[in-house]
């Protein structure tokens, strides 16, 4: 921030919270409170309320990052559970709240990468971003190894942040009964899981999940396998409790080595994610959507057209590449895989990688559509979208509308993309096309947060079993039938054949 911008920042008055009064800064009609502690936690223990304070606490800088690769040497793991609030200074009513959970493959990221001032001003709406524990500190399941509280800790962090917002947001001008759960990538997985928890019932009004991975939940057996391998890697199989004192660099290095082996040795291939543990997450989230328990919750599910491009071009290619192909081959056989790939090659756009497109459909697009079908069939209102615009910003400029392209436009401060300090990505000026698509995307989000629908029905119909409309964010914005074309027909034929075989062997 330059000196002129800094001079425009004025301190706010103190705002009361359940932990003590806080102050922030006001700029361009938006009050900002950063690094607000909502909880504290010892390693592998459930988060608890922080120690209260009496004097106003200055909340003008982002809090400590959750420990993660690249931020381990000076990490304060007990002080990373904080959130950030952007609140329009002048509002004539209690404003709806966007509660955002960041992504980062469950191991990186933080609320500091998302400046909500632009969205807050243009809503108007309250914008909240949170930190939660990452990697082994948030996702290593150790409750069966003697650390009774260590299961789904990151999800419990998010729930604690949601509870804090419910209890306090009215003091900032927000409406606690109009909270939208939202998240991208790993954060979208957490949103889907969080939305189905009995402890979260009645605490949010709608949900938005962008680029949720195909498997939103991990089995308890796989999580136990990961935990045992990490303990073995640290030579702690006979003393699991000693992991509490392992230095962070050593702990994260052991997890990385285990992760590389898991990618080749197991069907799931991934190390972390929400776990169906029977206690914090008592039921498979998709079953909760299917039985109608969330039919009163409007749901928006979105993805990017070329989701897998980023992961294919990583060095080495991400583990999900191998595991996704393996899962498709397991489901349909080698002949089914080859048939699919041949159809993708025959129908590829000039600028399309057929292999990437097949994997994107298998891992991202089709599971999101399946969840939309479940929610719609149960009587819920759901909207499905795909982001087809290529932002003029790396890595999207060279890789197309890959994973995160929609997120870059969602958080842009038109006419500029914003810096992402944790990801170490610089922002920059937007093209007219960027501005056009981003403005439409942001307007849809703010309309969803405010009304529960991203657009008027004529412009963007809700997802229905018979029509299955898919909104395309590109130039122009338009609606297409989801299951149209040869690719969809091949998937349907293979799936039907697979179901027939299962019935015959059942």
């Amino acid at each position: 921030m330059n000196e002129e911008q800094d001079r425009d920042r004025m301190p706010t008055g103190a705002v009361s919270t359940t932990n003590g009064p806080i102050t922030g800064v006001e700029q361009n009609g938006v009050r900002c409170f950063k690094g607000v502690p909502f909880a504290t936690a010892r390693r592998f223990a459930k988060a608890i309320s922080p120690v209260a304070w009496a004097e106003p606490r200055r909340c003008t800088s982002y809090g400590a990052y959750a420990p993660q690769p690249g931020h381990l040497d000076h990490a304060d793991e007990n002080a990373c559970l904080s959130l950030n609030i952007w609140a329009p200074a002048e509002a004539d009513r209690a404003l709806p709240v966007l509660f955002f959970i960041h992504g980062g493959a469950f191991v990186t990221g933080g609320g500091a990468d998302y400046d909500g001032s632009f969205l807050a001003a243009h809503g108007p709406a309250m914008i909240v971003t949170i930190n939660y524990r990452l990697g082994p500190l948030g996702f290593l399941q150790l409750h069966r190894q003697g650390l009774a509280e260590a299961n789904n800790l990151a999800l419990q962090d998010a729930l604690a942040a949601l509870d804090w917002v419910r209890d306090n947001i009215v003091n900032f001008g927000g409406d606690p009964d109009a909270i939208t759960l939202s998240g991208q990538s790993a954060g979208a997985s957490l949103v889907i899981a969080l939305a189905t928890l009995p402890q979260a019932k009645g605490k949010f009004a709608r949900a938005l999940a962008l680029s949720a991975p195909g498997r939103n939940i991990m089995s308890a057996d796989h999580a136990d396998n990961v935990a045992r391998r990490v303990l073995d890697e640290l030579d702690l199989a006979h003393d699991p409790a000693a992991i509490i004192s392992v230095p962070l660099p050593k702990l994260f290095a052991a997890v990385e080595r285990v992760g590389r082996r898991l990618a080749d040795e197991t069907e799931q291939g991934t190390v972390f994610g929400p776990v169906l543990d029977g206690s914090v997450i008592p039921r498979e989230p998709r079953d909760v959507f299917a039985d109608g328990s969330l039919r009163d919750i409007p749901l928006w599910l979105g993805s990017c057209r070329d989701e897998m491009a980023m992961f294919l071009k990583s060095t080495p290619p991400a583990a999900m590449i191998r595991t996704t192909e393996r899962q498709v081959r397991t489901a349909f056989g080698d002949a089914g895989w080859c048939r699919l790939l041949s159809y993708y090659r025959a129908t590829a756009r000039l600028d399309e990688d057929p292999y990437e497109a097949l994997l994107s459909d298998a891992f991202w697009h089709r599971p999101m559509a399946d969840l939309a079908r479940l929610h719609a069939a149960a009587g819920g209102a759901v909207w499905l979208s795909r982001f087809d615009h290529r932002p003029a910003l790396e890595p999207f400029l060279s890789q197309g509308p890959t994973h995160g392209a929609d997120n870059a436009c969602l958080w842009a401060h038109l006419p500029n993309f914003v810096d992402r300090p944790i990801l170490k990505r610089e922002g920059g000026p937007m093209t007219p096309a960027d501005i056009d698509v981003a403005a439409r995307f942001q307007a849809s989000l703010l309309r969803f947060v405010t009304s529960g629908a991203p657009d008027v029905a004529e412009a963007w119909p809700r997802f229905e079993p018979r029509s299955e409309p898919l909104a395309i964010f590109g130039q122009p914005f338009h609606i297409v039938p989801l299951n149209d074309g040869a690719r969809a027909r091949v998937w349907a034929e293979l799936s039907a054949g697979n179901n027939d075989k299962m019935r015959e062997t059942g």
Side-chain angles (χ1 to χ4, degrees):
M1 180 173 292
N2 60 40
E3 292 182 6
E4 182 179 350
Q5 289 174 315
D6 196 52
R7 284 196 300 270
D8 291 339
R9 299 174 62 188
M10 302 294 294
T12 68
V15 177
S16 297
T17 77
T18 48
N19 304 117
I22 64 172
T23 62
V25 294
E26 180 179 333
Q27 185 176 16
N28 298 327
V30 176
R31 295 178 297 153
C32 176
F33 304 85
K34 295 179 178 178
V36 182
F38 66 83
T40 186
R42 295 176 292 104
R43 187 184 293 187
F44 297 124
K46 185 178 178 180
I48 59 174
S49 182
V51 176
W53 57 86
E55 294 299 316
R57 179 174 185 145
R58 291 185 73 244
C59 292
T60 58
S61 300
Y62 290 115
Y65 298 164
Q68 56 192 278
H71 299 283
L72 294 176
D73 292 340
H74 306 289
D76 185 352
E77 57 185 290
N78 296 322
C80 67
L81 298 181
S82 66
L83 53 78
N84 315 295
I85 303 169
W86 288 267
E90 301 292 337
D92 58 3
R93 67 189 188 283
L95 296 176
V97 182
L98 178 74
F99 178 94
F100 182 77
I101 305 177
H102 71 82
F106 306 108
V107 295
T108 63
D113 263 355
Y114 304 92
D115 185 323
S117 58
F118 187 85
L119 289 174
H122 287 77
M126 310 287 295
I127 309 298
V128 177
T129 67
I130 72 168
N131 285 356
Y132 56 92
R133 281 173 284 182
L134 298 169
L137 303 179
F139 294 94
L140 194 60
Q141 301 289 102
L142 294 169
H143 60 297
R144 295 185 185 178
Q145 280 74 36
L147 281 76
E149 295 184 339
N151 60 314
N152 279 307
L153 290 174
L155 188 62
Q156 295 190 74
D157 293 345
L159 181 61
L162 178 61
D163 285 337
W164 191 98
V165 170
R166 285 275 302 178
D167 292 342
N168 292 283
I169 203 66
V170 67
N171 297 336
F172 298 85
D175 183 352
D177 294 321
I179 296 174
T180 297
L181 295 183
S182 65
Q184 185 264 345
S185 191
S189 282
L190 291 173
V191 163
I192 291 170
L194 180 60
T196 66
L197 299 188
Q199 308 96 300
K201 187 175 179 60
K203 296 179 180 179
F204 65 100
R206 26 199 167 264
L208 164 65
L210 299 175
S211 298
R215 292 193 172 191
N216 292 299
I217 202 74
M218 185 176 289
S219 72
D221 288 344
H222 180 71
D224 286 343
N225 181 32
V226 171
R228 287 191 296 269
R229 286 172 177 247
V230 171
L231 291 170
D232 287 343
E233 189 71 20
L234 292 167
D235 293 324
L236 295 178
H238 300 295
D239 186 16
I243 197 172
I244 292 174
S245 58
V246 172
L248 287 177
K250 183 177 180 180
L251 174 60
F252 275 74
V255 166
E256 183 180 358
R257 292 192 296 272
V258 169
R260 287 198 297 267
R261 291 195 291 271
L262 279 169
D264 295 321
E265 297 173 14
T266 68
E267 180 183 347
Q268 189 139 5
T270 54
V271 180
F272 296 130
V275 178
L276 186 61
D277 59 0
S279 53
V280 177
I281 304 180
R283 297 177 60 199
E284 162 65 54
R286 288 174 182 263
D287 292 343
V288 180
F289 280 96
D291 71 14
S293 298
L294 296 171
R295 67 168 59 91
D296 295 330
I297 301 297
L299 178 65
W300 175 1
L301 300 171
S303 58
C304 295
R305 189 191 71 193
D306 303 337
E307 289 278 3
M308 275 297 194
M310 175 183 294
F311 303 100
L312 273 169
K313 295 178 181 179
S314 61
T315 306
M320 70 175 71
I321 302 298
R322 298 190 296 278
T323 56
T324 302
E325 179 177 339
R326 190 160 61 228
Q327 288 159 8
V328 176
R329 287 180 181 272
T330 299
F332 303 135
D334 291 341
W337 166 265
C338 292
R339 184 182 175 198
L340 275 169
L341 188 55
S342 69
Y343 269 85
Y344 274 76
R345 286 170 174 160
T347 57
R349 303 182 315 273
L350 290 177
D351 63 342
E352 184 178 52
D353 176 349
Y355 181 67
E356 181 277 325
L358 195 166
L359 294 177
S360 289
D361 279 350
F363 190 83
W364 306 92
H365 304 143
R366 290 179 56 78
M368 295 285 270
D370 288 342
L371 182 57
R373 292 187 184 100
L374 292 175
H375 195 53
V382 57
W383 290 263
L384 190 66
S385 68
R386 194 181 74 206
F387 198 85
D388 281 19
H389 175 68
R390 178 197 298 260
L393 177 77
E394 290 297 349
F396 315 109
L397 193 58
S398 58
Q399 297 181 5
T402 188
H403 190 68
D406 51 358
N407 213 32
C409 289
L410 176 59
W411 295 94
H413 290 193
L414 277 54
N416 294 296
F417 293 110
V418 297
D419 293 343
R420 305 283 294 281
I422 303 177
L423 277 180
K424 298 179 181 177
R425 290 184 187 170
E426 293 185 358
M430 304 172 78
T431 66
D434 291 334
I435 295 170
D436 176 65
V437 177
R440 179 63 184 256
F441 198 63
Q442 291 179 345
S444 294
L445 173 124
L446 292 170
R447 191 178 292 112
F448 183 73
V449 168
T450 301
S451 70
D455 212 321
V456 296
E458 294 77 14
W460 183 356
R462 52 190 272 187
F463 191 90
E464 300 285 358
R466 283 174 293 184
S467 57
E468 298 194 337
L470 173 68
I472 304 296
F473 282 92
Q475 282 195 303
F477 173 86
H478 59 287
I479 307 295
V480 300
L482 174 63
N483 280 323
D484 190 25
R487 294 177 179 182
R489 288 193 294 273
V490 175
W491 279 104
E493 290 168 7
L494 289 172
S495 297
N498 198 43
N499 291 337
D500 290 342
K501 290 179 182 178
M502 291 177 65
R503 283 192 292 270
E504 290 171 4
T505 57

